[in-house]
Amino acid sequence: ALKALYHLAGQPASQPVLISDLAKAGNIPKKFLEFILLSLRKGGILQSRIGKGGGYYLASPPARITLGSVVRILEGDLAPVQCLSETNYAKCDECDDEAICGIRLVMVDVNQALARVLDSLTLADMLERSETERSKRANVLD
């Protein structure tokens, strides 16, 4: 998903890209990519156009699409353990009391940190970081 979104984020706004081109650019199996892109379209990250000149494109500018929103659409939530999941909660069989479970208490911090980072990073950040590293590499080679 991130490979395809990275590629789309580098395209001019509202310029559709064919699934076959995205699959080739990201070295992603086409059938697998179709499922991912459909999920992202249903989640509001992508839009599509049918027919000649059709394909997928970002529904919003890259600076407005967070990695957290992408992960939540595809995975449901960010919880590292199911007892913290908002969408797929399940009590651990081994746990007697969630309120004092050391594992759960530590994973609350992990969950919050993960959400904070993924919700602050955007597709534009991915492009910018890649371009910065590409420039550094080019300067070293010069």
Side-chain angles (χ1 to χ4, degrees):
L2 292 177
K3 281 183 178 181
L5 290 172
Y6 177 82
H7 184 77
L8 289 170
Q11 301 301 307
S14 301
Q15 180 177 323
V17 178
L18 295 171
I19 292 177
S20 57
D21 292 340
L22 284 172
K24 187 181 293 184
N27 195 24
I28 308 164
K30 187 177 172 188
K31 284 289 183 191
F32 180 63
L33 184 59
E34 286 173 353
F35 173 76
I36 290 169
L37 296 179
L38 181 60
S39 297
L40 292 171
R41 187 177 62 79
K42 288 179 180 177
I45 300 289
L46 296 178
Q47 291 185 345
S48 61
R49 189 174 302 145
I50 298 173
K52 185 175 172 119
Y56 281 92
Y57 58 97
L58 298 178
S60 302
R64 295 192 57 214
I65 300 173
T66 67
L67 301 186
S69 65
V70 172
V71 172
R72 285 183 185 93
I73 288 167
L74 297 173
E75 301 295 329
D77 65 29
L78 305 173
V81 290
Q82 261 192 307
C83 62
L84 290 176
S85 177
E86 295 175 10
T87 59
N88 196 27
Y89 171 84
K91 185 180 183 310
C92 299
D93 292 334
E94 311 82 30
C95 189
D96 294 328
D97 186 351
E98 286 183 354
I100 62 168
C101 174
I103 295 169
R104 186 176 194 280
L105 292 169
V106 170
M107 288 299 148
V108 166
D109 293 341
V110 171
N111 193 39
Q112 290 171 346
L114 183 60
R116 196 169 34 255
V117 170
L118 290 178
D119 290 339
S120 69
L121 294 173
T122 66
L123 296 180
D125 293 325
M126 285 181 17
L127 286 173
E128 182 182 327
R129 288 184 184 191
S130 179
E131 201 49 47
T132 298
E133 291 303 314
R134 188 174 288 117
S135 293
K136 285 180 187 177
R137 187 176 290 174
N139 288 337
V140 169
L141 296 176
D142 286 342

